[in-house]
Amino acid sequence: MNFMSQMLDYFRSPAIKESLYKALANQDCTLEKDKLLPEMDGFTADLYIETDDVIYLVKTVEKFSIEPLSGDDVEDLWQAKKRLVQHVYKQVVPIMIIGQNTQGHSFMEAAYRHHVLVIQGPIEDCANHLEFILQHQVVPTYQMSMQIRDSDMLFFAI
């Protein structure tokens, strides 16, 4: 039982955010941790990354949960992107780093609808994916028909 409580404490720690911040500290970008965006009604980005052409707003899900993530977890990030686009002349890309959490259908649908990049996996994989995104300044684009069935919805990974 002691091992299980240690694992739960690990997932509650800011390990993902801290690890990514340290890994990205030497990248060629402006990097801020826990950046409060006042024009976004007090929204705080876990990582705010600004490159030449793109701003990445990164939110991390630090706490492991057995329940799948819902679409509500994406809404604040999307609202922040929507408001920030009105104030800057760069593309704004919201990113959710969810680690080992499972995502529900509503989470993936909201991420797809709002053009939110989702990075999932062990911390090393998340760091590698985020580094790739920054190096290539990846911006997601999607095409969706007006009538779509669940069976038509496909999700792709980088």
Side-chain angles (χ1 to χ4, degrees):
M1 193 60 136
N2 189 23
F3 177 72
M4 182 58 115
S5 62
Q6 287 176 353
M7 289 304 293
L8 291 175
D9 286 340
Y10 168 74
F11 282 115
R12 285 191 193 106
S13 76
I16 294 175
K17 179 174 52 176
E18 292 296 326
S19 298
L20 291 173
Y21 182 76
K22 289 175 185 172
L24 297 172
N26 296 327
Q27 294 290 324
D28 187 25
C29 62
T30 302
L31 176 65
E32 294 182 49
K33 180 175 58 169
D34 296 325
K35 179 170 176 131
L36 178 66
L37 303 171
E39 63 271 5
M40 298 341 138
D41 296 328
F43 175 81
T44 302
D46 290 340
L47 294 173
Y48 176 90
I49 305 166
E50 189 168 346
T51 61
D52 295 335
D53 301 320
V54 185
I55 294 173
Y56 295 98
L57 298 176
V58 180
K59 284 299 276 183
T60 57
V61 177
E62 303 291 347
K63 186 176 176 184
F64 178 76
S65 175
I66 296 173
E67 295 295 318
L69 299 172
S70 70
D72 295 338
D73 297 316
V74 177
E75 292 300 320
D76 288 342
L77 193 55
W78 175 70
Q79 290 294 334
K81 173 199 171 181
K82 194 166 83 170
R83 291 191 188 112
L84 187 59
V85 165
Q86 298 169 359
H87 300 282
V88 297
Y89 297 102
K90 294 183 177 187
Q91 290 186 314
V92 178
V93 176
I95 300 176
M96 287 280 301
I97 299 178
I98 62 174
Q100 301 285 4
N101 284 287
T102 58
Q103 64 276 13
H105 181 78
S106 65
F107 175 84
M108 290 305 292
E109 186 176 358
Y112 188 80
R113 185 174 351 106
H114 299 309
H115 296 198
V116 174
L117 286 175
V118 176
I119 302 176
Q120 181 179 21
I123 187 64
E124 298 84 14
D125 291 347
C126 291
N128 288 335
H129 290 311
L130 190 56
E131 183 181 22
F132 177 85
I133 288 167
L134 293 177
Q135 285 176 347
H136 299 283
Q137 296 195 16
V138 172
V139 176
T141 56
Y142 302 99
Q143 182 176 356
M144 223 171 151
S145 66
M146 293 304 288
Q147 296 178 338
I148 191 160
R149 300 182 312 265
D150 288 345
S151 61
D152 295 335
M153 209 175 234
L154 300 174
F155 301 102
F156 300 92
I158 296 175

